[in-house]
């Protein structure tokens, strides 16, 4: 039991994410990302809501000519909400959203994009599905964004526009 409410779904799930794509709002930069994400605690809040609390370590790199810095590390603690897709007969297919995940970035520049300091937030949205024995495996397709939410200037944001994630519950 978690806080005495309802049983936890699982103790942990580990996920490897790869992807990238064009940086939004510029035609001079493409980004790549590789991340290791871990849902450390999962909780089925209702018949349709599953909450996760997790950690993410991501390496972002940019392909930009003449940039001062083309790589950084991002370490995040995130809340994530999973909701079943309306046409899904079960929780096998889902929509997920992460928002306002506190994140430390190792550099304040990625290619031509700048942040005012090393503290930003991670946001991510996507769709996924579970498969395999006892639905232990998952595959997701998502979009990830880092910015400081206007708390400091500059706040130009950094994006991984297309992430493919493969995960497994332990």
């Amino acid at each position: 039991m978690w806080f005495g409410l309802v049983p936890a779904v699982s103790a942990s799930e580990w996920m490897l994410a790869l992807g990238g794509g064009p940086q939004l709002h510029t035609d001079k930069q493409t980004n790549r990302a590789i991340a290791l994400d871990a849902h450390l605690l999962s909780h089925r809040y209702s018949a349709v809501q599953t909450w996760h609390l997790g950690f993410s370590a991501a390496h972002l790199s940019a392909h930009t000519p003449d940039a001062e810095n083309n790589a950084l590390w991002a370490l995040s603690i995130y809340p994530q909400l999973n909701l079943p897709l309306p046409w899904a007969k079960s929780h096998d297919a889902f929509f997920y959203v992460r928002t306002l995940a506190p994140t430390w970035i190792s550099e304040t520049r990625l290619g031509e994009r700048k942040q005012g300091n090393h503290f930003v937030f991670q946001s991510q949205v996507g769709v996924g599905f579970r498969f395999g024995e006892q639905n232990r495996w998952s595959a997701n397709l998502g979009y990830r964004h880092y910015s400081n939410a206007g708390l400091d200037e500059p706040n130009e944001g950094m994006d991984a526009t297309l992430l493919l994630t493969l995960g497994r519950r332990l």
Side-chain angles (χ1 to χ4, degrees):
M1 299 288 278
W2 190 58
F3 294 114
L5 298 174
V6 293
V9 173
S10 67
S12 66
E13 180 175 8
W14 291 84
M15 297 153 286
L16 180 63
L18 299 167
Q23 172 62 53
L24 300 179
H25 309 294
T26 181
D27 58 356
K28 298 177 184 173
Q29 180 171 327
T30 57
N31 297 336
R32 291 177 299 279
I34 181 168
L36 180 64
D37 298 347
H39 294 335
L40 302 176
L41 182 63
S42 297
H43 174 68
R44 169 90 29 94
Y45 183 74
S46 72
V48 296
Q49 298 177 9
T50 303
W51 286 96
H52 303 281
L53 180 62
F55 174 80
S56 177
H59 185 264
L60 282 77
S61 59
H63 176 69
T64 306
D66 304 322
E68 288 183 27
N69 182 62
N70 279 325
L72 63 80
W73 283 94
L75 303 175
S76 308
I77 297 172
Y78 61 82
Q80 179 173 310
L81 172 65
N82 286 18
L83 299 168
L85 291 174
W87 60 85
K89 303 268 189 241
S90 67
H91 287 272
D92 294 351
F94 57 90
F95 167 79
Y96 69 92
V97 61
R98 294 180 190 174
T99 134
L100 294 178
T103 301
W104 172 83
I105 54 175
S106 63
E107 306 291 333
T108 57
R109 295 181 68 107
L110 180 65
E112 61 183 35
R113 308 301 283 185
K114 301 175 202 162
Q115 289 296 304
N117 61 53
H118 293 275
F119 178 76
V120 298
F121 297 97
Q122 178 200 123
S123 298
Q124 185 169 333
V125 296
V127 293
F129 67 96
R130 298 201 167 282
F131 60 95
E133 181 183 338
Q134 299 177 345
N135 278 345
R136 286 184 182 243
W137 291 92
S138 65
N140 308 327
L141 193 58
Y143 161 78
R144 187 178 287 190
H145 174 77
Y146 297 93
S147 76
N148 66 38
L151 297 176
D152 200 357
E153 292 294 329
N155 180 33
E156 296 179 350
M158 303 165 203
D159 302 294
T161 51
L162 186 61
L163 281 177
L164 176 60
T165 305
L166 183 62
R168 187 174 193 286
R169 286 188 209 163
L170 301 181

